[in-house]
Amino acid sequence: MGDETHHHVIVGGSAAGISAALALRRHGFAGRVTVVEAGHELPYERPPLSKALAGGEHAFLHAILPRQAYAEHRITLLPATRALAVDPRRRAVELDDGQTLYADRVLLATGVLPRTLPVPGAELAGVLTLRDVRDARALAARLRAGGPVVVVGGGFIGLEVAAVAREAGLDVTVVETGARPLEGPLGPVLASRVTALHERAGVRLRTGVSVAAFTGTTHVTGVRLTDGRVLPAATVVVGVGVRPDTALAEAAGVLCDDGIVVDRHCHTSVPWILAAGDATNQPHPHLPTRGRIEHWDNAMQQGAVAGAVLAGVLESHTALPYFYSEQYGRTLQMYGRPAPGDEFVPRAEATSAVDSVDPAEADEPEDGGFLGFWTREGVLVAAAGLDRPRELRAARTLIERRVPVDAATLASPTTDLRALARTSAPPGPSVARLRSRPQTRSPHAGGTSGTSLASGKEAP
Ligand SMILES: Cc1cc2nc3c(=O)[nH]c(=O)nc-3n(C[C@H](O)[C@H](O)[C@H](O)COP(=O)(O)OP(=O)(O)OC[C@H]3O[C@@H](n4cnc5c(N)ncnc54)[C@H](O)[C@@H]3O)c2cc1C
């Protein structure tokens, strides 16, 4: 029997918001749960939007939960509805359809907005960003119309779009201001391995340069670079990062600083307002300083913590940061987050002589993927790899348990990471907390249960 007297309102029906709604029920909250979502579709997964563009809408539009699950869990979903304001005096959420929702507590899971480039021509037709399913539909149609395609920004989403467009046979150029794409998150060694995949596929890279203007009259026809060159373009995809959507929070008097500032329990500076997901600036035991984590798994995990806290169970968000990316049918995964000053240790290839494992010379066969690690004060803090899921799962355990491990051990191709993980010290109290994760997992999650909310699919 439901409790009609208590009501929690969640603004934002995506990974964090839906995960929170389910966690509320899992933790026994019997009152009303309302999710307000500006998008028109049933809440869906964003990661396929950049990976399955060529396969049509059925390939890139995956609901997080089937429609009937909302009724089963007594979650009132208000799609195509925008929250205009959170009124701190009345504890109310005002909606664009004229309704006012009174709430015991409000969870802000408003996510991020794509950055655009403030250059001439940015408003031309054919200059696109990719954040939601409408963007994906528009981009899919542009890719069907043919190239050339210019991707501005060599981040994960930009490179995934470049891979899809190239696989569709289009002429693709990636423009990156840095020395090479992905150098920020992966460091120069692994970034160059990913970049090589694109070069082998025929993607042109223009690095160390940025965009001066987009050319064309109504539709984009070219991209003028800061070095004066002009790249012909029928479609431009701008993937230059995101900014947290803090408008509602700021207007409600919630402290924001490069995101909605939260503690480990998703509390904001206003006691009855919580926040989770990409929009938050969070303290995290696996980050060197507080910051934002813009990954699907984080949104799911942090959303689940918010749901527990809303239900009266004081959980903390400590799950190890995890993300994955898919390019050319290859899967890149990363656990943890390196910090400046960490030691990078590439894993040597299996054919290397065991006694000559020099990290600087370490390499992997071209199609065998690769592995790399980061250590801090002799402890493994992050690991990334291409097509190496089993070793990465073992590395995840070592990172979570903060196991001391030296560079030579990590670099050696004969080190059995899984055996090392099995024999590492049993979890202490902090690890026990890490293990008490929600049962629900995204298909993109690297966690233990590894199943999707929607489909029960195994994690990659
Ligand atoms: C194309 C693409 C590919 C990605 N691929 C990967 C990947 O491979 N791996 C990975 O780890 N991560 C990936 N991500 C990132 C991942 O999708 C995000 O980390 C995740 O979606 C964040 O979830 P969230 O719930 O915090 O916010 P979001 O998913 O951004 O959702 C926020 C929601 O809030 C709604 N909203 C905002 N304001 C209001 C309002 N006032 N009223 C009503 N509704 C509102 C928005 O409509 C939106 O649906 C990808 C993202 C994109 C866009």
Side-chain angles (χ1 to χ4, degrees):
M1 189 64 187
D3 153 20
E4 292 300 309
T5 57
H6 293 100
H7 185 199
H8 293 319
V9 174
I10 298 170
V11 182
S14 184
I18 300 304
S19 178
L22 287 176
L24 267 161
R25 292 297 181 229
R26 213 166 42 245
H27 289 282
F29 177 70
R32 291 162 58 209
V33 175
T34 303
V35 177
V36 183
E37 168 52 46
H40 289 241
E41 292 73 19
L42 207 54
Y44 56 88
E45 298 172 356
R46 287 181 204 275
L49 299 182
S50 49
K51 300 169 183 65
L53 276 168
E57 187 146 330
H58 68 278
F60 63 70
L61 183 56
H62 296 280
I64 296 175
L65 289 177
R67 192 175 295 280
Q68 66 274 17
Y70 293 91
E72 279 164 21
H73 294 283
R74 291 192 304 111
I75 297 166
T76 304
L77 176 67
L78 301 180
T81 308
R82 180 167 286 280
L84 297 179
V86 178
D87 183 340
R89 287 175 301 110
R90 296 185 298 155
R91 287 201 181 199
V93 181
E94 290 161 13
L95 307 183
D96 64 355
D97 63 3
Q99 278 193 78
T100 299
L101 302 178
Y102 294 94
D104 291 283
R105 295 215 254 176
V106 171
L107 172 66
L108 297 176
T110 48
V112 290
L113 299 167
R115 286 187 192 279
T116 51
L117 283 176
V119 297
E123 71 296 338
L124 288 170
V127 178
L128 308 175
T129 54
L130 177 55
R131 184 68 204 172
D132 61 26
V133 70
R134 282 171 313 168
D135 301 334
R137 286 183 189 123
L139 181 54
R142 290 301 316 154
L143 297 185
R144 280 195 299 276
V149 175
V150 176
V151 175
V152 181
F156 289 107
I157 292 176
L159 291 185
E160 287 176 353
V161 171
V164 168
R166 192 64 204 116
E167 284 176 325
L170 305 186
D171 178 290
V172 181
T173 304
V174 173
V175 178
E176 162 61 41
T177 48
R180 59 178 69 75
L182 299 183
E183 192 160 311
L186 294 182
V189 176
L190 297 192
S192 61
R193 303 295 294 269
V194 179
T195 303
L197 291 178
H198 287 270
E199 286 172 326
R200 281 203 295 276
V203 170
R204 274 188 299 275
L205 293 173
R206 297 283 178 262
T207 56
V209 68
S210 54
V211 172
F214 299 112
T215 60
T217 45
T218 54
H219 199 286
V220 70
T221 54
V223 178
R224 187 179 312 123
L225 303 180
T226 46
D227 63 6
R229 276 179 298 180
V230 177
L231 307 173
T235 299
V236 173
V237 183
V238 177
V240 293
V242 292
R243 59 186 172 84
D245 189 346
T246 55
L248 274 185
E250 284 179 54
V254 174
L255 179 66
C256 295
D257 177 11
D258 187 32
I260 306 172
V261 174
V262 293
D263 67 12
R264 283 186 196 179
H265 315 295
C266 305
H267 293 127
T268 69
S269 61
V270 174
W272 56 277
I273 299 179
L274 284 79
D278 279 16
T280 63
N281 176 326
Q282 55 173 309
H284 193 287
H286 290 281
L287 294 190
T289 58
R290 67 162 42 246
R292 291 195 284 123
I293 305 177
E294 295 154 3
H295 303 316
W296 182 265
D297 190 53
N298 173 75
M300 298 284 288
Q301 306 273 359
Q302 198 187 13
V305 168
V309 173
L310 286 171
V313 179
L314 192 67
E315 287 197 350
S316 300
H317 179 48
T318 57
L320 187 63
Y322 167 80
F323 78 81
Y324 90 110
S325 172
E326 280 172 9
Q327 297 165 37
Y328 306 106
R330 317 291 300 266
T331 302
L332 179 76
Q333 295 170 287
M334 184 170 200
Y335 289 97
R337 188 178 276 193
D342 290 346
E343 184 186 358
F344 175 69
V345 184
R347 173 88 147 175
E349 67 174 282
T351 51
S352 300
V354 175
D355 53 2
S356 67
V357 178
D358 175 353
E361 292 171 7
D363 199 8
E364 289 284 346
E366 288 301 345
D367 51 7
F370 56 74
L371 265 181
F373 308 95
W374 288 263
T375 64
R376 197 177 302 152
E377 293 166 5
V379 171
L380 184 61
V381 291
L386 186 76
D387 292 341
R388 306 291 281 269
R390 282 184 303 175
E391 287 126 309
L392 283 167
R393 277 198 292 273
R396 179 195 66 202
T397 303
L398 297 172
I399 299 167
E400 287 178 344
R401 295 183 181 178
R402 300 182 193 276
V403 175
V405 49
D406 60 64
T409 304
L410 290 171
S412 169
T414 59
T415 299
D416 183 344
L417 288 176
R418 288 191 290 166
L420 203 60
R422 277 196 298 274
T423 55
S424 63
S430 64
V431 176
R433 265 205 314 280
L434 283 165
R435 291 261 172 245
S436 64
R437 289 176 177 177
Q439 295 307 303
T440 48
R441 306 282 303 172
S442 82
H444 323 290
T448 42
S449 60
T451 51
S452 160
L453 284 179
S455 62
K457 278 183 290 186
E458 273 295 306

